[in-house]
């Protein structure tokens, strides 16, 4: 009888804790949705919105199976391609390029309150180019205010935003392959950005464009 009485008290505390967690999640899901939407709309997705939904168990008819170590909620992340469009799960409704930008937007928003020491992005700019690529670079630069950001990229529009630019080269003599990493600065960096733009060295127009891209950080 004492154990049953103790169990009733514990269940009441458990329900109260779960309700508190649901309330906190619902409040922050609204904030996250607004802030991520603002970010992705600046990443050349002007009509797309992000929605974080908290789906909770029925607290008036809770079953023991409704409880987990993470509460009684299911979290869904969805996107809406345009106003009045259907809400589609992120995994199904986003292309590769859109997924990259949504993930970057999430990282930028979350880093402001829960910074991570170092972020490593490998081809986060996959599937994007032109203006969208410049905005991806701008967001990565913004993220670097809160943490160290290491980016592997083939896009000059992204590389131009870096505080430090390293070039990875691979040499092979037929029997041995060797990779080298070298830092480029000043004229060398302009030449590298120009090479990324034009695909070959000594292009005057590419050098001018490279210098223009590098000036965006100023």
């Amino acid at each position: 009888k004492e154990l049953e009485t103790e169990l009733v008290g514990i269940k009441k505390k458990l329900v109260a804790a779960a309700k508190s967690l649901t309330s906190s999640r619902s409040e922050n899901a609204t904030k996250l949705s607004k802030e991520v939407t603002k970010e992705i709309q600046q990443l050349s997705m002007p009509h797309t919105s992000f929605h974080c939904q908290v789906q909770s168990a029925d607290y008036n008819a809770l079953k023991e199976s409704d409880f987990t170590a993470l509460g009684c909620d299911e979290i869904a992340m969805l996107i809406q391609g345009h106003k009045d469009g259907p809400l589609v799960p992120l995994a199904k409704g986003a292309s590769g390029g859109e997924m990259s930008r949504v993930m970057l937007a999430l990282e930028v928003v979350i880093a402001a309150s829960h910074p991570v020491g170092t972020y490593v992005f490998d081809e986060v700019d996959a599937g994007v180019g032109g203006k969208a690529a410049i905005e991806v670079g701008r967001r990565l630069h913004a993220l670097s205010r809160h943490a160290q950001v290491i980016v592997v990229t083939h896009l000059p529009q992204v590389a131009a935003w870096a505080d430090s630019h390293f070039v990875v080269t691979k040499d092979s003599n037929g029997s041995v392959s060797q990779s080298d990493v070298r830092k480029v600065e000043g004229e060398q960096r302009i030449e590298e950005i120009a090479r990324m733009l034009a695909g070959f060295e000594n292009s005057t127009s590419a050098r001018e464009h490279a210098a223009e891209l590098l000036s965006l950080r100023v």
Side-chain angles (χ1 to χ4, degrees), residues 141-192:
H141 191 253
L143 183 58
S144 71
R145 296 173 191 153
H146 303 286
Q148 180 186 44
V149 178
I150 300 171
V151 181
V152 180
T153 183
H154 293 287
L155 287 182
Q157 295 95 330
V158 172
W161 284 95
D163 295 316
S164 299
H165 187 161
F166 295 86
V167 179
V168 180
T169 55
K170 183 177 179 180
D171 295 315
S172 177
N173 62 8
S175 59
V176 177
S177 293
Q178 178 177 311
S179 295
D180 294 305
V181 181
R182 61 186 175 87
K183 185 175 182 180
V184 290
E185 298 176 287
E187 284 297 311
Q188 285 188 336
R189 188 173 186 189
I190 292 175
E191 287 177 9
E192 176 59 22

Side-chain angles (χ1 to χ4, degrees), residues 42-182:
Q42 293 182 46
L43 289 168
S44 295
M45 297 169 68
H47 306 295
T48 302
S49 56
F50 172 85
H51 299 266
C52 184
Q53 293 183 347
V54 180
Q55 301 163 342
S56 306
D58 182 359
Y59 281 109
N60 294 317
L62 279 176
K63 305 184 293 293
E64 285 192 12
S65 59
D66 290 329
F67 291 97
T68 72
L70 302 175
C72 299
D73 308 312
E74 289 287 338
I75 311 300
M77 293 188 178
L78 310 110
I79 59 169
Q80 189 175 30
H82 54 85
K83 188 179 180 181
D84 301 324
L87 285 173
V88 183
L90 185 59
K92 295 180 179 179
S95 66
E98 289 171 338
M99 182 72 81
S100 295
R101 281 176 274 176
V102 172
M103 291 302 295
L104 176 57
L106 276 165
E107 296 286 10
V108 170
V109 170
I110 293 171
S113 57
H114 293 79
V116 174
T118 300
Y119 289 92
V120 180
F121 293 100
D122 186 9
E123 305 290 354
V124 70
D125 46 36
V128 302
K131 183 181 178 182
I134 291 176
E135 292 304 325
V136 168
R138 195 190 304 275
R139 282 291 161 284
L140 287 165
H141 191 253
L143 183 58
S144 71
R145 296 173 191 153
H146 303 286
Q148 180 186 44
V149 178
I150 300 171
V151 181
V152 180
T153 183
H154 293 287
L155 287 182
Q157 295 95 330
V158 172
W161 284 95
D163 295 316
S164 299
H165 187 161
F166 295 86
V167 179
V168 180
T169 55
K170 183 177 179 180
D171 295 315
S172 177
N173 62 8
S175 59
V176 177
S177 293
Q178 178 177 311
S179 295
D180 294 305
V181 181
R182 61 186 175 87

Side-chain angles (χ1 to χ4, degrees), residues 6-24:
E6 185 180 354
L7 184 60
V8 169
I10 290 172
K11 283 184 176 180
K12 285 182 179 179
K13 290 180 180 179
L14 187 63
V15 171
K19 282 183 175 180
S20 175
L21 184 56
T22 297
S23 176
S24 179

Side-chain angles (χ1 to χ4, degrees), residues 184-216:
V184 290
E185 298 176 287
E187 284 297 311
Q188 285 188 336
R189 188 173 186 189
I190 292 175
E191 287 177 9
E192 176 59 22
I193 296 291
R195 187 196 62 78
M196 294 173 76
L197 283 164
F200 56 89
E201 290 81 5
N202 303 321
S203 169
T204 303
S205 60
R207 284 179 61 86
E208 290 174 354
H209 190 186
E212 186 178 11
L213 281 177
L214 289 166
S215 70
L216 291 174

